[in-house]
Amino acid sequence: MSIDSRIELLRQQLKAAKQKIAKANKSVERAEEKLEVAQDEADAIQYEIDQELISSWGVTPDWKILLDDPEGHSSLMYDYANSLLNKLGMWAVGVHLGTKQRGLTFSMQTLSNVETQFYTDAINTTLPYIKSFEGKKTYNIGNIKDQDCAYSLSIFNDYFSVQKQVWGSVVEEHKFPTLWAALRHIQENVCDTAISSDDNFIEHQS
């Protein structure tokens, strides 16, 4: 077989191969369309399930479900959980790798006892539903004074711990016998509490 004949044969084989690719791509496109339709149907059903769940709770939300990884629920459940957390002065950031629950964050804005009591109540509301990991339940702290670090409130069986972390390692820890004492420490030493009066905190929350 001459070189020209060989090249022509290869070109014909290449053309046939490209036709197979085009045919396969069309099959993939049809499959992707079917997948998208099925996903939309599943999302709609999950939305309805979450609607029914939320309606069944009445005035007593199921925090265990609300703190679940939001990937297992619809946007309705995600938004509903966020609205309740915001009323408690909290928000969720990411998912805790150890517990598979949403990570809760709060920040303190004032030095007032009103705010101390507000977050005492907020933490006591959510604490029973947070899963323990390595012997502790943890909240992240926002609005901190320091840079290039993170703070958390860890709750053990017999004490409360305010921890400072740098690159994931605890570099400083303060232990307290009560939640109130831990929160006062956070207000006075951790958060950037520029506002000081009870009235200003109430205005800030409204």
Side-chain angles (χ1 to χ4, degrees), residues 7 42 72 74 81 107 151 195 202:
I7 290 174
S74 69
S107 65
Y151 279 88
I195 305 171
I202 294 170

Side-chain angles (χ1 to χ4, degrees), residues 3 22 46 53 55 79 99 113 116 164 188:
I3 292 177
Q46 184 63 63
L53 280 173
S55 177
D79 292 339
T99 65
N113 288 331
T116 315
K164 177 180 180 179
E188 295 168 4

